[in-house]
Amino acid sequence: ADPDPVQDFCVAVAPGGHNNASSSSSTYPGFPCKPASTVVSDDFFFAAHAGGASTDNPMGAGVTPGNVEAFPGLNTLGLSINRVDLAPGGVNPLHTHPRSAELVHVEAGEMLVGFVSTEGRFYSKVVRAGESFVIPRGMVHFQYNVGKGAARAMTVFNSQLPGVVLAAQTLFGADPEIPDDVLAKSFQVDADTIKLLKSKFQKG
Ligand code: GLV
Ligand code: MN
């Protein structure tokens, strides 16, 4: 989904700390490159996925990102990788990636992986260790641990910075808030139901 590279590599100069908006407005189509003479083997190496993120949270899920912000060597290469850890019963909650498809490769345990198409069709599979499932770009999707033990997947993207829109967080945790009336009308429920949902997702 990203533009094609125009050189062998372009290791990003300290992209950490940039957010999507600043990177796209100031350095489109990626981050500035380190001078090639200062590039070393470690720029192409990423070790953060040797361990997983904690799943000790209400979702029972931990995602360790491996996008260009975490792994500067990915700059201009059009791909990235996350590690997803799920406790038994844990869910990586409904979300979309506006800039990328996602290949989910399960390494341990078993997950129900699913997405909904623009036609409103729900496609899903229980995916086990060694198996993969693909989420088309922009589709709302999740992973849900349906096994007895911990589950782990690597998720691979055809973008260096796929972006993530968390469905519940976006709608009920926006800052400033989306008006209750708009949400109540959109979901065809009363304002109290919206307030309850907001209470789960508002920060601070
Ligand atoms: C999983 O859906 C991920 O975005 O890493
Ligand atoms: Mn995803």
Side-chain angles (χ1 to χ4, degrees):
D2 290 1
D4 283 335
V6 294
Q7 64 268 304
D8 286 357
F9 56 80
C10 169
V11 174
V13 178
H18 285 68
N19 59 33
N20 299 355
S22 69
S23 65
S24 57
S25 60
S26 63
T27 63
Y28 178 86
F31 297 96
C33 320
K34 261 174 97 165
S37 61
T38 69
V39 170
V40 295
S41 298
D42 270 335
D43 285 318
F44 302 105
F45 177 73
F46 184 65
H49 289 158
S54 171
T55 59
D56 188 12
N57 53 58
M59 299 294 174
V63 178
T64 310
N67 59 31
V68 67
E69 292 179 337
F71 183 1
L74 294 180
N75 194 37
T76 75
L77 301 186
L79 78 170
S80 58
I81 182 167
N82 290 349
R83 172 174 164 157
V84 179
D85 288 272
L86 298 175
V91 68
N92 184 20
L94 294 162
H95 65 277
T96 72
H97 305 288
R99 292 184 288 277
S100 187
E102 170 179 329
L103 184 67
V104 182
H105 182 75
V106 176
E107 287 191 335
E110 40 196 296
M111 301 178 184
L112 178 70
V113 183
F115 71 89
V116 180
S117 74
T118 59
E119 312 277 303
R121 256 197 101 70
F122 176 50
Y123 297 91
S124 70
K125 282 287 285 187
V126 174
V127 187
R128 299 187 170 83
E131 300 174 343
S132 301
F133 193 76
V134 69
I135 313 289
R137 176 173 166 177
M139 306 287 110
V140 173
H141 64 280
F142 66 88
Q143 292 100 21
Y144 175 45
N145 184 353
V146 292
K148 288 191 169 60
R152 181 176 81 246
M154 304 307 296
T155 53
V156 180
F157 302 88
N158 60 331
S159 169
Q160 66 177 26
L161 196 59
V164 58
V165 179
L166 288 164
Q169 192 65 49
T170 296
L171 295 170
F172 303 112
D175 178 21
E177 296 177 29
I178 298 175
D180 288 355
D181 290 351
V182 173
L183 289 165
K185 203 54 115 190
S186 298
F187 285 88
Q188 294 290 288
V189 295
D190 59 24
D192 285 346
T193 305
I194 297 302
K195 285 195 194 341
L196 175 65
L197 284 161
K198 282 189 172 178
S199 74
K200 313 278 183 195
F201 296 100
Q202 244 131 44
K203 289 186 187 121

